[in-house]
Amino acid sequence: MAESAERNEQRRLRPAPLVFEPAEATADPEHFFDLESLDDPRELLARATELTLAFRAATDRAIEFQAMAAAQLADPRRFDRLTAADVAERAEWTEDYARRMIDFGRDLLRATSAGTED
């Protein structure tokens, strides 16, 4: 139970969400969230660190959603359920990794449903 509370606290402490760049800015291959325009190394380090933390948080969250989707697709109660091999093929994972993600997703779904029953 303590792990669940810790995980929820970590979710609340995530960095600010990323702001998407306008299309004209991303057309320049040297442009990356305006970091190339920063001259002060302190400011550059701070902004680059902020982006790194935001990308890590986004990656972690996306992985959680992948796991939940994999668990839902492999749910034995579904008439159209997929095997771990099928999930692996769709997500371009190994079958072993798909099994672990399915298990992780089931844990996340249980935690989510337990949290809504309070």
Side-chain angles (χ1 to χ4, degrees):
M1 191 68 159
E3 286 180 27
S4 177
E6 185 177 324
R7 178 174 282 170
N8 288 338
E9 182 63 21
Q10 288 174 343
R11 285 185 182 150
R12 281 191 282 271
L13 298 176
R14 288 193 178 140
L18 294 173
V19 177
F20 291 96
E21 295 184 283
E24 62 273 3
T26 58
D28 178 4
E30 296 300 314
H31 184 83
F32 188 73
F33 289 90
D34 210 28
L35 293 179
E36 70 286 343
S37 70
L38 299 176
D39 294 325
D40 180 1
R42 286 179 205 84
E43 188 179 350
L44 177 59
L45 179 62
R47 180 65 179 137
T49 300
E50 181 181 77
L51 283 169
T52 299
L53 294 173
F55 283 127
R56 284 181 189 156
T59 299
D60 291 346
R61 192 70 177 131
I63 289 170
E64 289 175 355
F65 278 105
Q66 280 184 310
M68 288 188 290
Q72 290 170 335
L73 289 169
D75 187 338
R77 295 172 296 186
R78 290 176 60 118
F79 77 93
D80 61 344
R81 72 178 173 271
L82 300 178
T83 65
D86 293 331
V87 172
E89 184 179 338
R90 284 180 183 232
E92 298 181 10
W93 297 333
T94 64
E95 190 171 341
D96 181 59
Y97 186 74
R99 276 193 222 91
R100 289 186 283 144
M101 286 293 278
I102 290 166
D103 290 341
F104 177 48
R106 287 178 178 151
D107 291 344
L108 290 171
L109 291 169
R110 273 193 290 275
T112 301
S113 66
T116 59
E117 293 174 6
D118 290 340

